[in-house]
Amino acid sequence: MLKMAGNKSYTIVEYFGGDCGYRCGYCKNDVGNFSHGMWSHTMTVQDYQDLIDRGWRRSGKYVYKPKLNKTCCPQYTIRCHALKFQPSKSHKKILKKISKFISKGELPKGQDDGEPMDSVCEDACPREPSKACHSEEKCASIKDIQKELPECPAITEAQKEVADAAPTSSETSRKDQGSVQDERTTATAPKPGMGADPGRPPCRKAKDLRKERRLQKEQIRQNTDGVSSIVSPTPPSPAPSSQPKLLEDFINESLPDNSSHCLEFRRFLCDSPLEAEHSPDGPEVGYGSFHQQYWLDGRIVAVGVLDILPTCVSSVYLYYHPDFASLSLGSYSALREIAFTRQLQKQSPKLSYYYLGFYIHSCPKMRYKGQYRPSDLLCPETYAWVPIEQCLPHLENTRYARFNQDPDAGDARVLKDVGRALVLYRRSVMPYAAYSRKRKGSSDETEVQQYASLVGQDCAERILLYRA
């Protein structure tokens, strides 16, 4: 990391353009995927925060921005409001499945409902000039990772993870206003008869019966004078709806002392272009990139990577052992990641979002990210965040869409003066205007103009663009 007077750190990048198409890992089009790319030698967490808020995303040290109006499968940046998140029915099922496995040792049979990783072993991410796809780094087996990971003590108590995993599209989310019920009703064929007996009271719903039994228990519990309570057999008046259980309540449900398995989490700093930083008003673990390890009975079963940035936790990817695919570790890790974001927000108030990477509506298997709500998609033209509910109708009609419907809205950080963009030339930092005068007839103005437009005026004046 280059540091100047006053101990100021700089991001240093090399820009590669993006005129050639390459293979898409989602629709398998051989030349349909287009994106701009740059190699990041070093990067500050604030610069990366601003870049992902303009549609960029990193894969290792390669940072790329899809050409949404040209690429075959447009990839829109998506973020979840972590503080407002409530687990859906499918999310609760996954959390209960993990809890049941840990407490009773019962590994679900068969494969999971389909855990689409973001193009593992696919050419979905762009290629750098060497033509080596960065997504190959996701293809290592968990055994290989175990050899590479350091054996150090945990930095903090766990919760990292992430990855993209999905409930099936047929599972719809709903708000649960009470605790999850274990009862299951079975449908049976009705017996032949003459209909309802007018001499008997009408049947009551099982839900009402459960409410009545719960009210009876509460009244008995509240009776402190030792006299039995007399409860009217008539249906009780509707009780006020209880608050829904929080995500943390499901994750932290107590387990028996004799649980069959022990699941632990450990977090380590990992190699990435992001410079590790600490701030007085930031989280205790600091900012930067972290490995999160899942240890099951002393054995690593999954490893995730996340970036902790000034206003968000950004999901990168997850490795997990194929023997445990039926546990839905991708979805489970995303839920724990949201809980981790909420924990960090208590230490750093402005850190309140969870970024899931890209939402790809044209690829049905990648729509699951839209189920982590409330969430927003990034408008590709104004870079304003728009609730996903307002975006989906547009994406049903066309692959590329401008989400901000204000015709007068524009890019708040639009490039105004390329001459003020900073460059690194012969180990010296200078504005591009000064660099052009030194070079006397430099032919790279079109390239620098394109780069600065993509990163925006603010980033162009902070990030150093390397010039040979």
Side-chain angles (χ1 to χ4, degrees):
M1 176 66 68
L2 178 65
K3 293 183 182 288
M4 304 298 288
N7 205 34
K8 176 179 174 60
S9 299
Y10 281 102
T11 295
I12 303 175
V13 300
E14 292 183 67
Y15 180 66
F16 297 133
D19 297 327
C20 299
Y22 53 91
R23 185 174 185 272
C24 175
Y26 302 106
C27 70
K28 314 306 179 185
N29 187 321
D30 287 336
V31 291
N33 206 342
F34 290 85
S35 67
H36 304 279
M38 55 189 183
W39 184 261
S40 175
H41 295 276
T42 59
M43 183 170 287
T44 67
V45 291
Q46 185 60 61
D47 286 341
Y48 186 50
Q49 177 73 71
D50 290 345
L51 287 175
I52 63 175
D53 285 341
R54 292 184 66 83
W56 293 84
R57 181 163 174 79
R58 78 176 185 90
S59 176
K61 293 189 175 183
Y62 190 69
V63 188
Y64 62 101
K65 176 179 168 62
K67 293 184 177 180
L68 299 188
N69 59 351
K70 187 175 181 179
T71 193
C72 53
C73 296
Q75 304 164 55
Y76 298 92
T77 303
I78 182 172
R79 73 178 186 183
C80 171
H81 294 253
L83 302 185
K84 300 178 182 179
F85 173 79
Q86 283 291 335
S88 68
K89 181 179 179 180
S90 60
H91 295 150
K92 294 172 186 176
K93 287 173 61 178
I94 291 169
L95 293 169
K96 290 180 68 176
K97 179 167 60 175
I98 293 286
S99 179
K100 185 176 181 180
F101 168 69
I102 296 174
S103 62
K104 299 182 179 180
E106 298 177 12
L107 190 65
K109 296 181 180 179
Q111 294 297 316
D112 180 44
D113 297 330
E115 291 232 317
M117 306 297 287
D118 264 342
S119 66
V120 174
C121 303
E122 294 289 354
D123 297 335
C125 71
R127 296 169 182 248
E128 55 176 303
S130 66
K131 302 299 181 183
C133 178
H134 278 282
S135 63
E136 291 171 1
E137 68 182 292
K138 304 179 184 180
C139 304
S141 69
I142 202 72
K143 295 180 181 178
D144 295 332
I145 299 170
Q146 282 181 290
K147 298 176 183 178
E148 300 172 4
L149 291 172
E151 289 296 332
C152 348
I155 293 177
T156 66
E157 192 181 32
Q159 284 162 359
K160 143 59 215 156
E161 309 86 56
V162 17
D164 303 322
T168 58
S169 58
S170 63
E171 291 178 330
T172 57
S173 63
R174 67 173 177 84
K175 293 184 179 178
D176 185 0
Q177 295 299 318
S179 60
V180 178
Q181 300 293 334
D182 290 329
E183 293 96 340
R184 297 289 184 268
T185 58
T186 57
T188 58
K191 296 181 180 180
M194 300 301 293
D197 183 353
R200 302 183 64 181
C203 295
R204 294 167 56 194
K205 294 181 179 180
K207 180 179 179 181
D208 293 334
L209 293 173
R210 289 196 297 269
K211 283 185 177 180
E212 181 176 333
R213 288 196 296 268
R214 185 164 60 248
L215 181 60
Q216 291 175 356
K217 291 179 181 179
E218 289 177 356
Q219 289 180 337
I220 293 173
R221 192 181 306 116
Q222 293 171 3
N223 184 10
T224 59
D225 59 4
V227 180
S228 299
S229 299
I230 300 176
V231 181
S232 170
T234 57
S237 58
S241 59
S242 59
Q243 291 294 323
K245 291 177 67 174
L246 299 176
L247 172 62
E248 291 83 353
D249 295 333
F250 288 100
I251 290 178
N252 300 322
E253 281 184 333
S254 60
L255 296 172
D257 295 334
N258 59 344
S259 293
S260 298
H261 296 292
C262 176
L263 183 64
E264 300 175 280
F265 303 87
R266 303 178 188 177
R267 188 177 307 114
F268 300 92
L269 279 169
C270 66
D271 183 35
S272 93
L274 298 185
E275 180 188 21
E277 298 180 19
H278 281 82
S279 171
D281 58 349
E284 294 177 2
V285 296
Y287 301 110
S289 299
F290 293 82
H291 270 140
Q292 186 76 16
Q293 302 175 9
Y294 292 75
W295 290 77
L296 181 65
D297 303 331
R299 169 192 182 192
I300 294 181
V301 296
V303 179
V305 173
L306 66 86
D307 294 330
I308 300 178
L309 304 175
T311 64
C312 75
V313 168
S314 176
S315 156
V316 184
Y317 57 82
L318 176 87
Y319 301 92
Y320 61 80
H321 199 292
D323 288 353
F324 300 93
S326 62
L327 288 177
S328 307
L329 288 177
S331 294
Y332 177 70
S333 66
L335 294 169
R336 289 200 65 105
E337 190 91 12
I338 294 174
F340 180 49
T341 304
R342 291 152 70 124
Q343 175 188 334
L344 294 181
Q345 193 274 339
K346 296 177 181 178
Q347 305 167 12
S348 181
K350 63 181 180 179
L351 200 164
S352 59
Y353 295 102
Y354 171 64
Y355 284 50
L356 295 96
F358 289 132
Y359 174 81
I360 309 169
H361 193 78
S362 59
C363 180
K365 289 185 177 180
M366 299 307 295
R367 293 182 184 179
Y368 72 91
K369 294 182 182 182
Q371 297 181 15
Y372 293 84
R373 297 192 183 186
S375 58
D376 306 316
L377 296 185
L378 187 68
C379 176
E381 296 181 9
T382 65
Y383 302 112
W385 293 101
V386 180
I388 192 170
E389 294 85 356
Q390 299 178 24
C391 303
L392 296 182
H394 300 290
L395 295 178
E396 289 292 339
N397 297 324
T398 177
R399 294 191 174 195
Y400 174 78
R402 170 190 166 115
F403 301 136
N404 190 332
Q405 296 304 297
D406 181 357
D408 299 324
D411 177 7
R413 298 181 178 180
V414 65
L415 180 68
K416 297 178 181 178
D417 184 1
V418 69
R420 296 191 342 234
L422 291 184
V423 300
L424 179 62
Y425 177 61
R426 292 184 177 178
R427 303 181 66 84
S428 297
V429 176
M430 63 190 73
Y432 179 71
Y435 163 80
S436 296
R437 290 194 295 269
K438 283 179 175 288
R439 291 293 302 270
K440 294 181 180 180
S442 172
S443 60
D444 64 355
E445 184 172 354
T446 300
E447 177 183 296
V448 175
Q449 180 87 25
Q450 183 184 67
Y451 150 80
S453 297
L454 293 168
V455 302
Q457 186 73 46
D458 292 352
C459 282
E461 293 184 25
R462 294 199 311 261
I463 296 176
L464 304 185
L465 178 64
Y466 176 75
R467 298 283 86 186

